[in-house]
């Protein structure tokens, strides 16, 4: 029963994360991209700080620098991704965003087979271009690729923070740092609009759907299934993003674009199941719930998702584990 519930929890996390992004896009006309990012991160930080109650004493300067860097990565990832989905379809944006962690996984694995999967992902991007890069906003494509870079940084920094802070303390503190970074930009763009009851309510929905709920579901899922299976299911993100964009935002994709997304998903699945990471390598596409929390990253490849769990310090150093994007 425990094993059977794992895939359901992962799919619930993927659906929550991507539909949360689509709901966020509905707020852009009223609150602006920076306003929505600030609102989401501020509310998510308040919720996580209330739940985790992280201690702040006893840490070194290097620990706080790691939190600051992780907060910058979170702020950058969310801001760039939201700018991307403000300009191009969600399915396309998430497909381009996945290239960051996929590239990181292939490079650190140092495997010929890994480069084969990278080639398949590149073919998907080329096909995506043939399907109509001309009809896509160049800035939107650039923002999505920038989010890909920040996602890769997120994975590396989440592992570092996970080794320095217990449980989900590192995540809560990093989200709080990202909220502090983005709030001035959000207030400058949206002003008092952020305090409107409807906007606050929608912002809370976005924070729960895109941050709190995915983290919780992924934490439960990783206790019930192998991390490889978890990673494969999380790789369905681009397809679910395309569905969310179609249902909530009316974003239709061409047949070529759908095929391109399928190629990138296949490449992501192949990368997390068919490569053996080099010693000390960062694996997977998105940190799974354990890494950011610093509690128990399970051994094996990890995937696109967000940030909790518990084994030995040796295991924690070997593997990386929580996305969301947050995205």
């Amino acid at each position: 029963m425990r094993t059977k519930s794992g895939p359901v929890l992962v799919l619930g996390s993927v659906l929550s994360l991507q539909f949360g992004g689509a709901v966020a896009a509905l707020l852009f006309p009223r609150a602006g991209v920076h306003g929505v990012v600030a609102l989401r991160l501020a509310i998510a930080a308040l919720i996580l700080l209330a739940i985790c109650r992280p201690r702040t004493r006893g840490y070194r300067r290097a620990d706080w620098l790691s939190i600051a860097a992780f907060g910058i990565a979170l702020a950058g990832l969310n801001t760039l991704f939201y700018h991307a989905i403000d300009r191009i379809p969600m399915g396309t944006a998430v497909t381009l965003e996945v290239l960051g962690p996929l590239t990181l996984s292939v490079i650190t694995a140092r495997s010929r087979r890994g480069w084969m999967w990278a080639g398949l992902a590149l073919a998907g991007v080329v096909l995506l271009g043939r399907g109509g890069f001309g009809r896509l906003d160049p800035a939107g494509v650039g923002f999505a690729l920038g989010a890909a870079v920040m996602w890769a940084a997120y994975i590396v920094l989440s592992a570092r923070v996970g080794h320095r802070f217990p449980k989900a303390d590192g995540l809560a503190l990093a989200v709080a740092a990202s909220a502090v970074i983005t709030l001035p930009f959000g207030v400058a763009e949206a002003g008092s609009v952020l305090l409107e009851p409807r906007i606050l309510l929608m912002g809370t929905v976005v924070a729960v759907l895109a941050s709190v709920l995915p983290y919780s579901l992924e934490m439960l899922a990783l206790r019930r299934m192998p991390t490889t299976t978890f990673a494969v299911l999380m790789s369905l993100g681009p397809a679910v993003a395309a569905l969310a964009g179609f249902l909530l935002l009316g974003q239709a994709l061409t047949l070529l674009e759908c095929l391109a997304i399928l190629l990138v998903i296949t490449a992501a699945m192949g990368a997390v199941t068919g490569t053996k990471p080099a010693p000390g390598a960062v694996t997977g596409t998105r940190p799974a719930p354990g890494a950011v929390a610093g509690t128990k990253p399970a051994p094996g490849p990890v995937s696109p998702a967000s940030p909790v769990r518990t084994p030995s310090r040796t295991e924690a150093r070997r593997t990386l584990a929580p996305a969301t994007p947050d995205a």
Side-chain angles (χ1 to χ4, degrees), residues 157-248:
L157 291 167
S158 70
R160 183 181 302 173
V161 169
H163 296 157
R164 294 173 180 269
F165 292 82
K167 300 181 182 179
D169 288 10
L171 172 65
L173 292 170
V175 173
S178 68
V180 171
I181 292 168
T182 57
L183 202 54
F185 299 98
V187 172
E189 181 174 38
S192 61
V193 170
L194 296 178
L195 299 178
E196 293 179 5
R198 176 179 171 275
I199 300 299
L200 280 174
L201 176 61
M202 292 288 285
T204 303
V205 170
V206 171
V208 171
L209 286 178
S211 296
V212 180
L213 186 58
Y215 300 158
S216 303
L217 293 177
E218 289 162 19
M219 176 185 68
L220 294 173
L222 278 169
R223 291 173 178 169
R224 292 165 168 77
M225 64 196 301
T227 42
T228 301
T229 307
F230 173 88
V232 168
L233 292 173
M234 291 302 298
S235 297
L236 295 173
V240 177
L243 177 64
F246 175 73
L247 293 178
L248 296 186

Side-chain angles (χ1 to χ4, degrees), residues 8 16 46 75 77 94 98 101 145 162 219 262 283 293 302 310 319:
V8 175
S16 180
L46 291 174
L77 172 59
V94 174
V98 164
L145 293 175
M219 176 185 68
L262 179 61
T283 59
V302 176
T310 10
T319 313

Side-chain angles (χ1 to χ4, degrees):
M1 182 71 175
R2 285 169 64 84
T3 303
K4 289 181 180 178
S5 65
V8 175
L9 292 170
V10 177
L11 291 175
S13 171
V14 175
L15 286 167
S16 180
L17 184 66
Q18 302 304 339
F19 275 84
V23 173
L26 294 174
L27 287 175
F28 292 163
R30 179 66 180 154
V33 170
H34 291 287
V36 175
V37 171
L39 193 60
R40 171 195 162 176
L41 291 175
I43 294 174
L46 291 174
I47 294 173
L48 288 171
L49 289 173
I51 294 173
C52 300
R53 296 183 180 180
R55 75 181 172 85
T56 56
R57 295 183 179 180
Y59 294 112
R60 297 172 300 174
R61 181 171 178 271
D63 299 328
W64 291 112
L65 287 175
S66 294
I67 288 292
F70 193 20
I72 291 170
L74 279 168
L77 172 59
N78 283 280
T79 301
L80 290 168
F81 179 68
Y82 277 13
H83 271 297
I85 64 174
D86 188 37
R87 292 167 168 81
I88 61 177
M90 269 196 69
T92 303
V94 174
T95 300
L96 293 172
E97 186 192 29
V98 164
L99 295 178
L102 175 59
T103 302
L104 180 65
S105 178
V106 170
I107 291 174
T108 56
R110 299 172 189 170
S111 161
R112 290 184 180 179
R113 185 177 295 180
W115 289 106
M116 179 189 75
W117 295 120
L120 184 63
L122 180 61
V125 174
V126 171
L127 196 60
L128 195 62
R130 291 184 60 118
F133 264 149
R135 75 185 185 91
L136 297 177
D137 185 320
V141 173
F143 282 127
L145 293 175
V149 174
M150 295 306 295
W151 193 350
Y154 171 95
I155 291 174
V156 174
L157 291 167
S158 70
R160 183 181 302 173
V161 169
H163 296 157
R164 294 173 180 269
F165 292 82
K167 300 181 182 179
D169 288 10
L171 172 65
L173 292 170
V175 173
S178 68
V180 171
I181 292 168
T182 57
L183 202 54
F185 299 98
V187 172
E189 181 174 38
S192 61
V193 170
L194 296 178
L195 299 178
E196 293 179 5
R198 176 179 171 275
I199 300 299
L200 280 174
L201 176 61
M202 292 288 285
T204 303
V205 170
V206 171
V208 171
L209 286 178
S211 296
V212 180
L213 186 58
Y215 300 158
S216 303
L217 293 177
E218 289 162 19
M219 176 185 68
L220 294 173
L222 278 169
R223 291 173 178 169
R224 292 165 168 77
M225 64 196 301
T227 42
T228 301
T229 307
F230 173 88
V232 168
L233 292 173
M234 291 302 298
S235 297
L236 295 173
V240 177
L243 177 64
F246 175 73
L247 293 178
L248 296 186
L249 305 175
Q251 298 172 342
L253 297 175
T254 66
L255 183 60
L256 273 179
E257 289 169 333
C258 291
L259 181 57
I261 290 173
L262 179 61
L263 288 177
V264 174
I265 289 173
T266 303
M269 289 181 175
V272 297
T273 59
T275 58
K276 292 183 179 180
V282 175
T283 59
T285 42
R286 190 180 219 153
V292 165
T295 50
K296 171 185 179 181
V302 176
S303 119
S306 9
V308 213
R309 287 182 54 144
T310 10
S312 73
R313 298 291 283 181
T314 303
E315 286 177 320
R317 288 189 183 92
R318 271 204 310 260
T319 313
L320 159 63
T324 322
D326 339 310

